[in-house]
Amino acid sequence: MSGNVVRLHKDTEPPTEAASVTTLTVVPDPPAAPPVPLWVRSGRAIKTAVTHENTRTAARGVARHSLYVAGGARILARRAWDGRTAARYERMIRAAEAAGNHEAAAEWEERGQRYREARHRRRMDLLHSPLDAAKGAAVSAGMGVGGLVLLGIAMAIATKDPTEVVTPLMAVIKFINLMITIVRVVWGPAITIGPFLALLALWSVGAHQQAAPQWALPDRVRSGEGEPITPSIVVKALRDLGIPALRKAIQEMGDAGASMLSPIVIAGCGVEVDVTLPSGVSTNEVQGKRRKLAENLSRHEHEVFITIPAAARTVRLWVADSGALDEPIGPSPLTTDETLTADYAKGKAPWGQDLRGDAAALSLYQRHLLVTGLSNQGKTAALRALALWLSLDRSVQFWLADLKGAGDWRYFDGIASVLIQGPTDDHVIQATEMAEDAVTEMNRRLELRQKDPTAKFPPLIVLVDEAQVAFMCPAKDEDGRPYGGSKATSRYFMAVRKIHNQGRAVDVLMWQGTQDPTDQNLPKLVREGAHTRAALALGTESQAEMALGAKAVKGGAAPHLLRQGLDKGTLVVASDGIAIPAGQASITVRTHFIDDDAAEAIAERAKALRDGVTTLHAVERDENHDPLADIAAVIGDAPRLRTQDVIKRLSALNPTAYGDWSPVDLTRVLEAADAEPYKSDGRMVVGRDRVARALANRDGEGSASDAG
């Protein structure tokens, strides 16, 4: 029972009077699996060999080199046909007609007619050429034999040997015989080797032109990674876009579509080419195929930009060098040039570089600003870079509210007259009151402008970062008016609208940064009130239209196609304050990143240009204000301050109370407290010690009267 299993089990029948009997059962082994036939094993081996990568590579190589020969023969046959016929001219005529260029078509038709006339003359000449050739050969032969005989006679006379007469003629005959012998020797091998040399020539032409199907080409060629952009590659990419009218037009063009392209020029870290589309193909059809076009060009989608230039029926393609957009740009001039200053009216902020690699500078003069994008894409950094540059103009005032409160704007403490930081409803309320104070200041300036049209005012930048927090705030005031929202009763919304409507005329400007825009957190009237609109990476095309406007998006602006997290700091800008190529509605800018240490250094330079700004961290609303105490507060630690600067700071502190103050009002209050202004270096100033002494005397008198 070797190999069998012995099992012990009890009968399942109920027990009888006798003891139950234990039964031994022998269970045989299960039958062994039949051996795998040899032909099955061979088939598996063949399948493995066929599907192996080495086998496939070898098969592709054999097919590729064989097809190079066929492709080379096709190319040479086409060249020969073009050289012998007017096919080239016919193709150019069809291309010009497809492009709508009838003048070029007529010119090519004329050239083709001249070619046909010349060909006809050559053929007519061939009819007479055999007779002329025979006559010429007879004359040449006669002259040749006669010349040899004369040469032989001369030799015979010279040597006095009559046999020398035929020596030149015999020499020629022997030479001809030698040539015939050489031909006989070489002819056989030439007949044998000639076909191989012809195949080698065909293979060389085909290999140079890569005349093989895509699947047969080597991996490095098929991948196209980093492949230079050439006219043939662009035309092939356009042909394979899946637009039937475009494909048909290219096939009908005699030059295979080359006439559609302008010269390809280097533009920064890529190349640029204008494509004139044939009749029946619209520009938006090509724009809608951006991803497929990029893949046809062996690029990623973010490396191809399609814009609409001024020329009709034309798209402009900018194609980046492979991987170039993933490389960082250089540092900001603000960090490399410590002598750099700003000029609000005439200067431009160095914001970054455009795709051509040229410096992208933005004019901020009398322009409201809106920067938006998804979270953590560099919105605050881009907005802060502009504010840091403008802070180097000492005439510019800042009222700033950071409704994120993460400390990104802490460096403006000592630069901004108002600095609110925090995300709560209380901070939104303060930011709203700050905006309303800006409206009050704007109205004051407008009134002064009516009295004096030549009046000039220092620029006032009212900056609110994370403005969507203000629009979405549910808090209401004591009268039931909401701080957030977009209704006529919404306080923040109405303050922003008023500044947008009239602030530009008196240099009161609204700058806002928002994220993930919607109609709720960025109302239509607010976003359309900005003169400069910039967007980082966004989620959808509808958000792109909210951020930049429908016109810019239809013209090729595509912030929704930027890669979230990978294209940080890359902005699409629509503004008349930045140089945009003619015919385009927007420009893509890769902004300089200024880190915290560099931002702090720039802020210190800005503070050094100013006379010590006292920054308020909340908007005071105490109606029972104390002018003398407020004067002491705005002077701060400075030993003295010019009267004009004191008035400006008082106006920023409480526009309602001090917005209409003049030097006369300031002098009246100070003289009443025995702290009148005095001259220092030819200018009227207010002394800190005088004001402090006046406050101390007043407080002392108050205490004495209370004690009495």
Side-chain angles (χ1 to χ4, degrees), residues 75-88 91 115:
I75 293 171
L76 290 178
R78 186 184 184 95
R79 291 176 181 174
W81 178 258
D82 287 345
R84 301 290 297 174
T85 67
R88 178 185 293 109
R91 286 201 306 271
Y115 170 80

Side-chain angles (χ1 to χ4, degrees), residues 32-91:
V36 179
L38 180 60
W39 64 270
V40 175
R41 293 199 300 269
S42 300
R44 291 175 181 171
I46 292 173
K47 181 180 179 181
T48 302
V50 169
T51 58
H52 196 274
E53 182 61 28
N54 291 340
T55 305
R56 297 171 65 183
T57 302
R60 280 203 308 268
V62 172
R64 177 171 65 253
H65 292 290
S66 301
L67 291 168
Y68 279 165
V69 175
R74 185 177 65 254
I75 293 171
L76 290 178
R78 186 184 184 95
R79 291 176 181 174
W81 178 258
D82 287 345
R84 301 290 297 174
T85 67
R88 178 185 293 109
Y89 300 96
E90 296 293 337
R91 286 201 306 271

Side-chain angles (χ1 to χ4, degrees), residues 295-367:
E295 292 171 350
N296 291 348
L297 293 169
S298 302
R299 295 294 190 272
H300 297 291
E301 184 178 10
H302 72 278
E303 294 176 329
V304 175
F305 288 82
I306 306 173
T307 54
I308 309 299
R313 212 172 66 239
T314 303
V315 293
R316 177 168 294 160
L317 306 182
W318 185 86
V319 184
D321 298 336
S322 185
L325 293 184
D326 296 327
E327 298 293 330
I329 64 172
S332 170
L334 291 174
T335 63
T336 58
D337 185 1
E338 295 185 356
T339 63
L340 185 67
T341 58
D343 187 338
Y344 162 75
K346 299 179 181 179
K348 290 189 175 183
W351 212 6
Q353 293 180 0
D354 62 15
L355 296 179
R356 290 172 167 267
D358 299 329
L362 179 67
S363 172
L364 304 173
Y365 178 65
Q366 293 188 342
R367 289 178 176 88

